[in-house]
Amino acid sequence: MTSIRKWQVGESLPEVTLAPVSRLDLIKYAGASGDYNPIHTIDEEAKKAGLPGIIAHGMWTMGNLAKLFTPYYEEGFVQDYFVRFQSMVFLNDVITLKATVKEKDEKAIRFAVAAVNQHGKEVIKGEAVFSLYE
């Protein structure tokens, strides 16, 4: 694995493609997060809310973006992280996580991050700052 310090502006970390979103993923996340809104787990409730089916918790998708940095935690940590939710994630969607170096110095690397569905649509976009250990 290449050190995160070697990535240059404009280069991208290896993408991470998640398994298709499952109902069990969302039930587990509801339990872990305490967000039991039924639009995330019960089809009929999602349809009553005007949705075509259940949707993933936005924070489930956001939390998964951190997987991009897991291989590099021996070199630093995610210091700052913010995103904008662009679109909903549905059951069986396949999400690909992406990060591209925007800026870097000797102490931190700023990444543009995104989660993209199987249709190429960004469902989340934002930035993460990875602070480097000295």
Side-chain angles (χ1 to χ4, degrees):
M1 176 185 66
T2 303
S3 167
I4 199 166
R5 296 170 190 271
K6 294 188 178 187
W7 298 100
Q8 298 300 316
V9 172
E11 293 183 322
S12 297
L13 296 179
E15 294 179 356
V16 173
T17 300
L18 304 175
V21 177
S22 73
R23 187 179 310 270
L24 185 56
D25 290 333
L26 303 181
I27 290 169
K28 287 178 179 179
Y29 186 81
S33 69
D35 181 351
Y36 294 102
N37 187 323
I39 66 170
H40 301 303
T41 55
I42 302 171
D43 295 307
E44 298 77 22
E45 293 299 319
K47 288 180 179 159
K48 281 186 205 171
L51 300 167
I54 65 172
I55 61 171
H57 305 74
M59 297 302 286
W60 177 87
T61 310
M62 182 179 174
N64 272 297
L65 270 170
K67 290 180 179 179
L68 289 162
F69 302 100
T70 302
Y72 308 105
Y73 285 141
E74 289 183 6
E75 298 181 65
F77 60 95
V78 176
Q79 176 187 346
D80 195 11
Y81 182 34
F82 62 93
V83 299
R84 170 163 275 169
F85 299 101
Q86 303 289 105
S87 187
M88 290 180 267
V89 174
F90 296 96
L91 200 58
N92 298 314
D93 276 358
V94 176
I95 303 299
T96 300
L97 312 172
K98 302 179 179 196
T100 303
V101 178
K102 285 182 70 172
E103 299 172 11
K104 107 180 243 199
D105 61 34
E106 61 280 344
K107 294 184 179 188
I109 306 170
R110 180 177 301 275
F111 290 89
V113 294
V116 179
N117 70 15
Q118 70 274 15
H119 304 295
K121 183 172 186 162
E122 282 186 344
V123 294
I124 285 182
K125 68 189 259 185
E127 290 189 1
V129 176
F130 190 87
S131 287
L132 300 163
Y133 297 134
E134 294 185 27

